């Protein structure tokens, strides 16, 4: 029986597109969740948006969906046929990945010790630095879990324990976003490469459970009682509060047609670890490009980020190119083990993180955490393999 992707970048992008672009608009129009933390501030900003700017927001946003799928189908014209998805043969890394897992578990233990005081505090008291380190660690765990799942050799127990422990740590710290990445990559794997693929009812049940856990964690960290209304608020507050940057952008700025992407281009300097050279002073922020907006909770909506960098017309072509590249990567997964893990890792950030973080973070995820760092680990393993084979028996 041929196996293809059931859930891929097309579906995941569509979910994030609706969740992050239209949830805030609906909440603002309906005046929902009045009195909940942060919502009065959101509604006060929403009322200040000029109707012409809100109309422009809707038109631009609606244009992005066909742009994405047009890019996808452009590549489909070039490569109209697809191969069945097969698990890859186990290699030296697969056979020795338990050592990588044990090293990562050691790092997790160190991070846990350093952040031990944050494990019992509320959102307003936790150490964001520790949560960021553990989030990055989970990303690394996820990549190597994927790499193992996509092979014919089962993941070692150390890798499974490492992923599960890091997920639990992040949930305790209130870090739902990166935990959802773990869920998404497993969802894509179990509906594509897996020998026993999930059926529709399993997909629905696991998805519902993940959103239930996510809402429960959000309410629990607010130190308040759990009910359905608070659970809804906990989930929908994510796209609504991310939209602060968009609402205040629409209030204070004109929308450019085309712009030079200084922020996007300089964000690649963040790929260089700060311990080697600190390039942060050279990275142009969106505000540094002459636009004003506020994001009191830290998240940058991709809408304002794209408009600031590329303008309304330029962003259309950027999203078109994104759809094209993602379909190209999906095509490469049919024959390349590493690219398969890389593509599914990207799928992991598509429905959530892509829509809420600036290029400063996203490009580091795409090109360092998902690409350069795993390639470095694989290179080290290849060197070890070479010397082991070269050593006289």
């Amino acid at each position: 029986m041929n196996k293809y992707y059931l859930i891929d970048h097309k579906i995941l992008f569509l979910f994030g597109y609706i969740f992050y672009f239209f949830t805030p608009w609906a909440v603002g129009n309906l005046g929902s969740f009045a009195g909940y933390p942060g919502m009065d501030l959101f509604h006060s900003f929403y009322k200040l948006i000029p109707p012409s700017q809100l109309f422009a927001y809707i038109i631009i946003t609606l244009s992005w969906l066909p742009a994405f799928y047009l890019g996808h189908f452009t590549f489909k014209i070039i490569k109209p046929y697809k191969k069945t998805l097969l698990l890859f043969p186990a290699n030296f890394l697969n056979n020795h990945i338990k050592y990588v897992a044990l090293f990562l578990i050691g790092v997790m233990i160190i991070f846990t010790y350093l952040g031990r005081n944050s494990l019992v505090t509320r959102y307003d008291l936790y150490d964001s630095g520790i949560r960021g380190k553990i989030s990055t660690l989970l990303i690394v765990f996820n990549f190597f879990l994927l790499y193992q799942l996509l092979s014919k050799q089962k993941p070692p127990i150390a890798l499974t324990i490492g992923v599960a422990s890091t997920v639990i740590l992040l949930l305790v710290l209130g870090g739902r976003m990166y935990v959802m990445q773990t869920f998404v990559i497993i969802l894509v794997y179990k509906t594509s490469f897996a020998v026993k693929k999930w059926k529709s009812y399993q997909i629905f049940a696991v998805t519902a459970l993940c959103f239930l856990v996510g809402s429960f964690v959000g309410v629990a960290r607010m130190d308040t009682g759990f009910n359905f209304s608070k659970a809804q608020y906990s989930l929908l507050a994510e796209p609504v509060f991310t939209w602060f940057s968009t609402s205040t952008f629409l209030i204070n700025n004109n929308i450019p047609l085309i712009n030079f992407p200084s922020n996007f281009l300089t964000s690649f300097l963040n790929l260089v670890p700060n311990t080697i050279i600190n390039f942060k002073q050279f990275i142009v922020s969106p505000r540094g490009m002459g636009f004003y907006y506020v994001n009191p909770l830290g998240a940058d909506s991709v809408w304002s980020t794209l408009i600031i960098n590329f303008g309304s017309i330029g962003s259309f072509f950027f999203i078109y190119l994104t759809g094209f590249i993602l379909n190209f990567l999906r095509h490469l997964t049919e024959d390349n083990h590493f690219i398969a893990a890389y593509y599914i890792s990207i799928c992991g950030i598509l429905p959530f993180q892509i829509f809420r973080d600036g290029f400063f973070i996203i490009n580091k995820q795409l090109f360092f955490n998902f690409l350069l760092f795993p390639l470095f680990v694989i290179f080290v393993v290849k060197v070890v393999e070479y010397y082991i084979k070269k050593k006289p028996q």
Side-chain angles (χ1 to χ4, degrees):
M1 180 180 178
N2 290 336
K3 293 190 296 183
Y4 306 107
Y5 285 100
L6 177 63
I7 296 175
D8 61 2
H9 60 274
K10 301 192 304 298
I11 294 175
L12 297 171
F13 177 85
L14 179 62
F15 173 86
Y17 172 87
I18 295 172
F19 189 58
Y20 280 91
F21 290 155
F22 290 101
T23 298
W25 175 73
V27 170
N29 276 339
L30 297 173
S32 305
F33 303 110
Y36 278 86
M39 283 298 179
D40 290 340
L41 179 61
F42 168 79
H43 288 300
S44 67
F45 282 142
Y46 189 85
K47 292 174 183 176
L48 293 176
I49 302 174
S52 60
Q53 289 286 78
L54 195 57
F55 178 75
Y57 169 82
I58 296 296
I59 296 300
I60 292 169
T61 303
L62 289 175
S63 74
W64 286 354
L65 195 62
F68 183 83
Y69 289 112
L70 185 61
H72 170 87
F73 286 111
T74 299
F75 181 81
K76 192 174 180 65
I77 293 172
I78 300 172
K79 287 284 186 180
Y81 304 106
K82 54 187 178 181
K83 301 178 183 177
T84 186
L85 300 175
L86 299 173
L87 294 176
F88 298 93
N91 54 32
F92 187 86
L93 175 59
N94 293 123
N95 294 329
H96 296 81
I97 207 166
K98 61 183 177 182
Y99 299 111
V100 176
L102 290 172
F103 170 77
L104 295 176
I105 288 174
V107 174
M108 179 193 66
I109 292 172
I110 294 173
F111 286 167
T112 304
Y113 176 78
L114 293 175
R116 60 192 182 280
N117 294 328
S118 299
L119 297 176
V120 293
T121 57
R122 302 188 309 273
Y123 269 133
D124 56 340
L125 298 177
Y126 76 86
D127 183 348
S128 60
I130 290 297
R131 195 171 83 172
K133 289 180 174 63
I134 295 177
S135 297
T136 301
L137 181 63
L138 180 60
I139 291 169
V140 177
F141 263 125
N142 284 344
F143 184 90
F144 289 107
L145 174 65
L146 260 178
Y147 194 85
Q148 196 72 10
L149 288 172
L150 295 174
S151 75
K152 294 179 180 178
Q153 183 170 333
K154 293 182 179 180
I157 187 66
L159 186 58
T160 304
I161 290 174
V163 173
S165 300
T166 311
V167 163
I168 293 171
L169 271 176
L170 270 182
L171 288 175
V172 171
L173 289 169
R176 299 174 295 176
M177 192 59 54
Y178 288 85
V179 172
M180 290 302 291
Q181 286 186 29
T182 306
F183 159 68
V184 173
I185 65 171
I186 292 175
L187 177 66
V188 174
Y189 162 74
K190 291 296 290 184
T191 55
S192 56
F193 281 89
V195 175
K196 294 183 178 180
K197 298 171 70 173
W198 278 350
K199 295 179 172 59
S200 299
Y201 74 89
Q202 292 172 305
I203 296 172
F204 176 80
V206 175
T207 301
L209 177 62
C210 285
F211 278 100
L212 179 63
V213 171
S215 62
F216 177 81
V217 169
V219 173
R221 295 290 291 190
M222 289 162 53
D223 197 23
T224 184
F226 184 86
N227 60 43
F228 182 70
S229 177
K230 291 175 182 176
Q232 280 186 305
Y233 163 75
S234 176
L235 287 177
L236 298 183
E238 161 62 26
V240 167
F241 292 162
T242 297
W243 212 70
F244 271 126
S245 61
T246 294
S247 61
T248 54
F249 174 88
L250 292 171
I251 293 168
N252 295 287
N253 306 277
N254 292 321
I255 299 173
L257 293 177
I258 296 178
N259 211 10
F260 183 77
S262 302
N263 167 251
F264 171 74
L265 295 175
T266 58
S267 68
F268 287 96
L269 295 174
N270 194 38
L271 299 183
V272 181
N274 293 331
T275 53
I276 300 176
I277 303 176
N278 191 346
F279 280 121
K280 281 188 176 181
Q281 58 182 318
F282 302 110
I283 299 175
V284 179
S285 68
R287 292 185 185 87
M289 295 177 65
F291 296 89
Y292 176 79
Y293 66 90
V294 297
N295 53 343
L297 300 182
D300 272 340
S301 170
V302 71
W303 196 93
S304 49
T305 301
L306 287 175
I307 294 298
I308 289 172
N309 275 279
F310 303 101
S312 57
I313 296 177
S315 60
F316 179 92
F317 290 101
F318 181 85
I319 292 178
Y320 166 84
L321 187 60
T322 300
F324 182 91
I325 292 173
L326 286 174
N327 200 17
F328 171 62
L329 287 174
R330 190 187 70 166
H331 168 72
L332 294 181
T333 64
E334 298 166 355
D335 299 302
N336 190 296
H337 191 169
F338 180 86
I339 295 297
Y342 180 64
Y343 168 76
I344 297 177
S345 295
I346 294 174
C347 286
I349 67 173
L350 262 184
F352 298 104
Q353 192 178 10
I354 284 286
F355 289 88
R356 68 178 308 277
D357 286 329
F359 288 122
F360 179 83
I361 296 175
I362 294 300
N363 283 338
K364 189 160 189 174
Q365 293 273 61
L366 293 175
F367 300 106
F368 185 82
N369 295 338
F370 295 163
L371 187 63
L372 295 179
F373 182 76
L375 281 175
F376 172 75
V377 172
I378 291 173
F379 171 75
V380 171
V381 171
K382 289 288 186 182
V383 171
V384 172
E385 179 184 15
Y386 171 79
Y387 280 102
I388 288 176
K389 291 182 177 179
K390 187 177 179 181
K391 184 178 180 181
Q393 299 298 323

